[in-house]
Amino acid sequence: SASAASTTLPHYNRQLSTSTVASSVKFAAVDHAEAYEQAIAGRHGKQLALAYLEGKGKDDAPFDPFDVLVENDNDDDEEEEEEQLDENTQVAEFVEKEEETIETASSSSSSEEEEESTLGTSSSSSLLYNNDGSLVRPKSQLAAFKAGAPAGGVFAIIELGGTQHKITVDDVIISNKLKPVSDYAIGTVHEFNPLLVGSSHVTLVGLPHVGGTVKLMVEEITRDATILVFKKRRKKHSRRKNGFRRQVTMLRVLDITLPEEYNSSSSDSTASSSTDTKAEA
């Protein structure tokens, strides 16, 4: 159990503090909230505001000049409709009563069909990912990202399959095949202890691990693209050409959580800063 110590970094004017969440978990915390807020208040914040303006109006429907003509025609038709409303109210009330009686009789038979249709439409309309695994984002957001707006929030570095991966939420990790397959079956959710976790206001460097958690879900177990292995012996009439496909496991990042003492403060600060930049835009 090491005691808390603090030193000042020379060029960044930030405090480096080591703290212990448990006896086996130690990490160093670098607080750069003031530097980030100063950058947002200065030139960097203005650049982000311009980036968000690039996506303004991208999601609107295309302009149709005939809509103006239709609106003018509708104004003339509204006066005629108001005169006919008084005559049709009595007929409409009578029809509504008959329809209510018919609906109550057929509600029991049509309830099952409606449930099946809603399940089919919800699965098709609530698509979150494209065919390549990327998120379905609106055109305004894509235009803002292309102009330089930040695309991610909290990021982490984890060790998986013998390699380190820098990830954020909704990313896809392509790792070497995780074994045993019975433990890493498709659809299973696993928690990992990250080596580093960072946000716009704080960075936690594990010694060697951070107390937060990263949740991953196994999406697919497949093989990678073919790699050609060609070997030729000069002047020996010998050549060899083989193909190799690596077995991989694809995982989706579901959530990244910081330690309890940093989780609430960092999330609130990142949310407030993002809303401020969008409000300026």
Side-chain angles (χ1 to χ4, degrees):
S1 63
S3 59
S6 63
T7 57
T8 304
L9 297 178
H11 299 291
Y12 300 97
N13 194 16
R14 304 171 186 169
Q15 295 294 325
L16 177 65
S17 62
T18 60
S19 59
T20 59
V21 176
S23 59
S24 60
V25 178
K26 301 177 183 179
F27 59 88
V30 181
D31 187 7
H32 44 78
E34 294 182 0
Y36 176 76
E37 291 177 357
Q38 290 177 0
I40 290 296
R43 178 187 293 181
H44 182 62
K46 294 179 180 178
Q47 291 178 350
L48 291 181
L50 293 175
Y52 288 118
L53 283 176
E54 289 292 330
K56 187 175 181 180
K58 297 290 186 179
D59 298 330
D60 298 340
F63 175 72
D64 189 0
F66 294 100
D67 290 340
V68 180
L69 299 176
V70 173
E71 290 179 357
N72 294 330
D73 294 337
N74 291 333
D75 295 336
D76 298 334
D77 295 337
E78 286 178 358
E79 297 178 358
E80 297 178 357
E81 290 178 357
E82 291 177 357
E83 296 177 356
Q84 295 178 358
L85 282 176
D86 297 333
E87 299 177 358
N88 297 331
T89 49
Q90 297 179 356
V91 179
E93 291 176 358
F94 178 75
V95 172
E96 288 178 358
K97 290 180 181 179
E98 289 186 350
E99 289 178 353
E100 289 177 358
T101 55
I102 295 171
E103 288 177 358
T104 52
S106 61
S107 60
S108 60
S109 61
S110 62
S111 59
E112 297 180 356
E113 296 178 356
E114 290 178 356
E115 290 178 357
E116 294 178 356
S117 63
T118 52
L119 288 173
T121 54
S122 62
S123 61
S124 61
S125 61
S126 60
L127 294 176
L128 296 177
Y129 307 108
N130 296 315
N131 293 331
D132 58 353
S134 60
L135 279 174
V136 176
R137 300 182 185 271
K139 294 181 180 179
S140 60
Q141 199 172 15
L142 293 175
F145 291 161
K146 189 175 181 180
V154 179
F155 69 93
I157 296 177
I158 62 172
E159 184 178 0
L160 186 65
T163 58
Q164 294 184 4
H165 304 271
K166 182 181 178 181
I167 57 173
T168 184
V169 179
D170 292 323
D171 280 355
V172 176
I173 302 174
I174 301 177
S175 173
N176 294 325
K177 187 176 181 180
L178 302 178
K179 298 178 181 180
V181 181
S182 58
D183 294 341
Y184 294 96
I186 296 175
T188 56
V189 179
H190 306 272
E191 292 185 357
F192 295 90
N193 198 352
L195 301 173
L196 183 144
V197 180
S199 65
S200 59
H201 286 67
V202 66
T203 300
L204 307 179
V205 183
L207 303 171
H209 295 285
V210 183
T213 57
V214 176
K215 289 185 179 180
L216 304 178
M217 183 181 69
V218 181
E219 283 195 347
E220 188 176 356
I221 300 174
T222 182
R223 291 194 296 174
D224 206 349
T226 304
I227 298 175
L228 295 178
V229 181
F230 181 76
K231 185 175 181 180
K232 179 181 177 181
R233 294 177 179 88
R234 190 163 56 92
K235 298 180 182 181
K236 299 296 182 181
H237 300 284
S238 173
R239 63 178 60 188
R240 183 179 62 190
K241 182 179 180 182
N242 293 326
F244 172 73
R245 297 187 68 185
R246 181 179 61 134
Q247 293 182 341
V248 296
T249 301
M250 296 185 180
L251 304 98
R252 176 78 63 176
V253 182
L254 299 179
D255 189 19
I256 299 174
T257 58
L258 279 71
E260 295 181 356
E261 53 186 349
Y262 292 95
N263 195 5
S264 60
S265 62
S266 63
S267 62
D268 295 340
S269 60
T270 53
S272 62
S273 62
S274 62
T275 53
D276 292 341
T277 55
K278 291 182 181 180
E280 292 177 358

